[in-house]
Amino acid sequence: MKNFSLLFLLVFTAIQSIAQCPPLQTNFADCDYVLVGHRGYSSVYPENTLLSIEEAFKRGVKYCEVDVSLTSEGKYVLFHDEHSVYRTTNGTGRVTNYSLDSLQLLDAGSWKGEQFKGTKIPTLVDALKIAEKYDAFLYLDMKNTDYAKLKEAMDEAQVAPNRFLPSISTIVKAQEFRALLPQTPWVWYKSGNLPVEVNDTLFFSQCVALGCIAFEVSSSKILDSNWNTFKTNVHNAGAIIWGFTLNDNALMLDRVNNGIDGIETDRPWDAYRYLCNNIPGANSFDSLTTGNWLFNGNLQSTHIGGQIRPYVYQNTLPQFLPTYDSCSAFNLPLINGVNKVVARMPAFDTLNGLLVHPNFRIEDDGISDGSYSIIMDILLPPESAQKYIALFQTSSKNLNDADLFISYDGQFGTLDVYHGYIDTNTWYRVCFTVDSKNGKIRKYLNGEFIGENIIEGSRWDVWNSSRSGDDQGFLLFTDDDNETGTMYISALQTRNYVLNDSQVKRLGAPSADGIMIGNANAWNVTLSSAFADSTILDFEHKTYYFVIPHNAPDSALLKMELYAGAQSNIGTQKTINVNNGSYSWNVVSEDSTQQKTWNVCIRRSSVNSALNEKVLNTKNIIVYPNPAKDIITLNGLENIEYEATILDIMGRNILTQSVTNSSNQIKLNGIVSGYYLLSIKHKNEIITKKVIVTN
């Protein structure tokens, strides 16, 4: 791994601890693995945003995978879904139909949580500037390929030529790319598959000669009969192997042991700490309410969740769109005496329905999630009685029978196993939990357990990853043979874990206020005396880290933001004694099903500088010749001893030696042609130069 010294990281290298605190590591230079942040640090922050990638880089992650798409005028932006912007914004339609200005009016953060409201879709130029700031790199998953536009972005950002690495899958495309950007490396990627040329050693050497540094494949390919051949040929050619998308600790370790050199993951910092320091963390994603909808006149979420969209979202016929009005206007019973606005769902045909993006995360190397809970407040009108009514459909293309129904006689279930009773013209809170690992679905009405279905296989798993993003999630109120009817819905909620009986009981019966949320998180925690650039959130361990000046006052104001009905035992602010070095408090979720202890860790800096370093005078240091063949000379050094390190584009240490103003040459014996970084360091002072070696 890289040993680039980020300015930010030096905050933590010369500090004086004032109390016992868990160790904080943000430098993984000695680690042998490459951890690539999938869409940034997307387990915690909104994917493909500047916030997501910067938070990864701040923690010592050197590579972030981001998806890039072209706007209508040909500007590259960071965005994943090819067909529509529904899932992660409040907009509609394709990215390619938006101008940059109109695209950046969209909210790309609220789907992840209202604490991220107003986060924008960034340009590639802005993302490159963040990468340059941290001396880190962007791996580009190309949704639209225009190498000239890539070059324009690099030129506009004025960054190092290796600051991004696009995905390329053919020699022809690699040659085309190389002609425009000869100093820029790239990654071989083709939908996760092994190359068809897996036995052709010339193919691999050609790729590397054209600038390929890594081959990325689905991590499950270690089971392929050609895996050992592929691994040998990649490594013999001088490249490495990345595997995606891994979030489970045991699977990550297994893939590394089978020869994968780098892992793409939603939790890259946690993966670093596990693989390099054996700090396991939570080994899973936080148990969260991931989506919450109230249907108060639209399909937007409340507090958290992506926008629900019509299954057919382009030119949908009016009769297949939801309509909204008050209970009394629809001639329905009120909800707890409140004349709430609700949604009327028509009897959908096989081509229509509602697609819900539940924001479940992949917890292994698969593409689906089989452990979750769904809660909904619904009403069955008399005209839909005495027929089978589809409620829930895991086939996002509606290719088979729905997975849960209200039966002909008003019971709730599937596969001829039905329980309870749903009367017409009555509001019910329906909840079901899917636990594929233990082979069961548990069903509830108004908080009471009514029965269980034994299941097997993956039928009830929710598809959670696709190249387009357009078809991931589940459908409501539709199936493949028109077993549908008019329905009313007042609230919907998704959770990425299996609720137990007591937790469901707390959620109770339908409410005009919707379904209570189960998140107990403290966000945007600040300490009044802390350096602005010193905050790091360890979400897995529920700990915020701060650095304060060595002469800061003994007391400081701790402030936080709470969302989705969460409550703290100290309110939203508290004056604390920083000399204690740490402080803890509790946060309870709105539904009281979740309680978390949050912590702050405080350290005093040895100097009055947030970055704790003095910048070297770069204007006087000249590196020549560049490109260099045999020797690099450094002119303009002060009368002190420096440590000079040459790193390759993967951050591997190629050469380290001492230099002074009288002994200022570095011999390049044995260093092959390529692009390198030269790090020049004295104590806590460091600069980095870009150099090219030619043989």
Side-chain angles (χ1 to χ4, degrees):
M1 275 307 300
K2 303 183 182 312
N3 65 358
F4 302 152
S5 297
L6 301 182
L7 297 183
F8 183 88
L9 303 182
L10 294 177
V11 177
F12 304 101
T13 60
I15 52 183
Q16 299 171 342
S17 176
I18 57 179
Q20 290 294 321
C21 276
L24 173 67
Q25 183 174 0
T26 53
N27 188 336
F28 301 95
D30 297 328
C31 187
D32 293 330
Y33 313 115
V34 179
L35 273 299
V36 182
H38 180 227
R39 306 176 196 174
Y41 199 170
S42 60
S43 66
V44 180
Y45 302 96
E47 67 180 51
N48 283 324
T49 62
L50 297 183
L51 177 63
S52 186
I53 63 173
E54 183 161 20
E55 290 297 333
F57 292 153
K58 281 169 61 175
R59 289 153 176 76
V61 177
K62 282 301 184 179
Y63 288 87
C64 279
E65 181 267 355
V66 294
D67 306 278
V68 291
S69 298
L70 287 167
T71 63
S72 61
E73 71 267 54
K75 296 289 186 180
Y76 269 115
V77 294
L78 273 56
F79 201 80
H80 176 268
D81 297 0
E82 294 177 74
H83 296 159
S84 75
V85 299
Y86 272 96
R87 182 175 64 88
T88 59
T89 80
N90 57 340
T92 62
R94 293 172 177 260
V95 167
T96 51
N97 293 333
Y98 280 84
S99 68
L100 179 59
D101 288 344
S102 59
L103 193 66
Q104 292 189 317
L105 294 175
L106 301 180
D107 181 346
S110 292
W111 68 278
K112 193 72 171 177
E114 60 189 319
Q115 67 271 25
F116 303 120
K117 183 178 181 179
T119 303
K120 303 302 180 186
I121 297 173
T123 65
L124 176 57
V125 170
D126 289 337
L128 286 170
K129 290 178 180 178
I130 294 291
E132 183 86 359
K133 173 183 176 181
Y134 291 94
D135 203 4
F137 309 91
L138 299 177
Y139 164 39
L140 309 182
D141 187 338
M142 306 292 294
K143 302 305 182 185
N144 316 104
T145 301
D146 188 326
Y147 297 142
K149 295 297 183 184
L150 276 187
K151 186 176 186 303
E152 285 180 16
M154 179 176 285
D155 292 343
E156 182 180 346
Q158 296 184 344
V159 296
N162 69 331
R163 200 57 66 200
F164 66 57
L165 306 85
S167 59
I168 300 175
S169 61
T170 69
I171 294 292
V172 172
K173 284 292 183 183
Q175 291 169 333
E176 179 185 338
F177 173 75
R178 199 68 169 172
L180 281 174
L181 290 161
Q183 298 178 39
T184 302
W186 52 276
V187 175
W188 187 94
Y189 170 78
K190 192 171 185 179
S191 302
N193 297 312
L194 300 183
V196 295
E197 304 91 343
V198 67
N199 294 302
D200 184 358
T201 58
L202 179 60
F203 165 76
F204 293 96
S205 61
Q206 283 180 309
C207 286
V208 172
L210 288 167
C212 176
I213 64 165
F215 288 75
E216 186 178 52
V217 297
S218 168
S219 70
S220 62
K221 294 302 177 182
I222 67 164
L223 304 174
D224 192 284
S225 60
N226 288 314
W227 171 255
N228 287 329
T229 300
F230 169 71
K231 178 175 63 176
T232 299
N233 287 339
V234 169
H235 290 159
N236 285 347
I240 61 175
I241 300 170
W242 291 352
F244 71 94
T245 302
L246 283 162
N247 292 311
D248 178 84
N249 286 354
L251 286 171
M252 283 191 278
L253 185 60
D254 176 75
R255 299 321 189 238
V256 166
N257 289 336
N258 276 281
I260 285 180
D261 310 289
I263 290 171
E264 190 175 323
T265 174
D266 296 306
R267 42 191 293 260
W269 187 38
D270 306 314
Y272 256 138
R273 292 184 293 178
Y274 172 62
L275 291 176
C276 302
N277 301 322
N278 199 29
I279 300 174
N283 192 27
S284 65
F285 293 112
D286 200 34
S287 296
L288 292 173
T289 299
T290 60
N292 187 69
W293 298 267
L294 291 179
F295 301 98
N296 288 329
N298 57 52
L299 296 173
Q300 301 288 343
S301 64
T302 300
H303 298 303
I304 189 170
Q307 181 183 184
I308 296 174
R309 70 162 175 81
Y311 175 42
V312 177
Y313 59 93
Q314 296 175 326
N315 303 315
T316 308
L317 295 174
Q319 64 264 35
F320 292 121
L321 289 173
T323 54
Y324 307 91
D325 216 324
S326 65
C327 290
S328 60
F330 282 131
N331 197 28
L332 303 176
L334 305 186
I335 304 176
N336 302 135
V338 177
N339 193 22
K340 181 185 179 297
V341 171
V342 298
R344 178 187 181 273
M345 299 298 163
F348 291 117
D349 65 12
T350 59
L351 297 179
N352 288 279
L354 291 184
L355 181 67
V356 180
H357 303 293
N359 194 25
F360 299 153
R361 306 306 300 171
I362 306 168
E363 298 194 14
D364 52 31
D365 63 347
I367 56 174
S368 57
D369 196 310
S371 301
Y372 56 88
S373 302
I374 309 291
I375 313 104
M376 60 178 79
D377 291 353
I378 59 171
L379 181 145
L380 177 72
E383 63 266 29
S384 296
Q386 295 186 331
K387 60 171 69 174
Y388 278 84
I389 304 294
L391 290 184
F392 179 70
Q393 167 67 288
T394 59
S395 171
S396 58
K397 295 288 190 182
N398 203 17
L399 299 178
N400 51 249
D401 209 28
D403 299 287
L404 285 168
F405 291 87
I406 298 174
S407 69
Y408 180 88
D409 53 3
Q411 292 190 301
F412 174 43
T414 188
L415 299 179
D416 297 323
V417 179
Y418 289 82
H419 299 93
Y421 181 70
I422 296 175
D423 200 357
T424 60
N425 215 38
T426 304
W427 286 104
Y428 290 90
R429 176 157 292 172
V430 173
C431 174
F432 60 92
T433 64
V434 177
D435 186 352
S436 293
K437 290 182 179 179
N438 292 307
K440 59 186 177 182
I441 295 174
R442 291 178 66 82
K443 300 170 294 185
Y444 306 82
L445 287 178
N446 295 337
E448 299 296 331
F449 174 69
I450 60 170
E452 184 174 281
N453 286 73
I454 304 302
I455 61 174
E456 60 182 16
S458 59
R459 172 176 172 175
W460 286 269
D461 291 0
V462 172
W463 180 275
N464 198 43
S465 179
S466 68
R467 178 168 171 79
S468 69
D470 194 51
D471 57 357
Q472 62 188 42
F474 59 82
L475 294 170
L476 291 178
F477 310 123
T478 189
D479 80 337
D480 69 338
D481 56 1
N482 293 314
E483 290 180 312
T484 63
T486 303
M487 290 291 296
Y488 292 88
I489 185 168
S490 172
L492 171 71
Q493 192 176 107
T494 59
R495 302 197 182 200
N496 64 358
Y497 63 103
V498 176
L499 288 162
N500 62 39
D501 291 358
S502 63
Q503 291 171 329
V504 176
K505 192 174 186 66
R506 288 194 190 106
L507 298 180
S511 168
D513 296 326
I515 304 161
M516 292 186 293
I517 290 176
N519 297 345
N521 295 321
W523 290 101
N524 302 319
V525 176
T526 60
L527 191 69
S528 59
S529 59
F531 292 123
D533 57 0
S534 72
T535 306
I536 280 186
L537 165 60
D538 181 350
F539 191 80
E540 281 205 334
H541 296 94
K542 309 297 177 249
T543 300
Y544 281 87
Y545 288 84
F546 296 103
V547 178
I548 63 175
H550 76 278
N551 58 352
D554 292 342
S555 64
L557 184 63
L558 178 72
K559 298 177 70 174
M560 75 193 80
E561 295 175 1
L562 301 171
Y563 294 93
Q567 298 291 320
S568 164
N569 66 318
I570 61 170
T572 57
Q573 61 182 44
K574 175 79 172 179
T575 299
I576 65 172
N577 186 339
V578 298
N579 289 331
N580 292 332
S582 62
Y583 185 80
S584 300
W585 71 99
N586 294 325
V587 178
V588 179
S589 63
E590 182 183 33
D591 65 359
S592 300
T593 64
Q594 192 175 88
Q595 176 177 312
K596 296 179 182 177
T597 298
W598 285 83
N599 313 282
V600 290
C601 240
I602 309 160
R603 299 172 186 258
R604 287 188 185 270
S605 171
S606 59
V607 296
N608 281 327
S609 168
L611 297 179
N612 191 25
E613 85 165 312
K614 177 179 70 178
V615 178
L616 287 174
N617 186 353
T618 60
K619 293 183 179 179
N620 294 333
I621 299 179
I622 300 172
V623 178
Y624 74 92
N626 195 9
K629 185 176 182 181
D630 300 312
I631 293 175
I632 291 176
T633 300
L634 308 179
N635 272 3
L637 300 177
E638 298 178 24
N639 190 26
I640 53 179
E641 183 175 314
Y642 300 82
E643 179 184 85
T645 302
I646 294 179
L647 305 145
D648 68 10
I649 56 179
M650 291 305 302
R652 292 173 292 214
N653 189 326
I654 303 301
L655 179 151
T656 297
Q657 72 174 63
S658 297
V659 292
T660 65
N661 62 350
S662 59
S663 178
N664 61 347
Q665 290 189 329
I666 301 173
K667 294 184 179 181
L668 303 177
N669 297 342
I671 298 181
V672 300
S673 298
Y675 182 87
Y676 296 87
L677 293 179
L678 172 62
S679 168
I680 306 166
K681 181 180 179 182
H682 173 67
K683 295 184 178 179
N684 287 333
E685 306 169 10
I686 187 168
I687 64 170
T688 302
K689 298 284 188 178
K690 291 82 178 177
V691 296
I692 301 170
V693 176
T694 60
N695 293 333

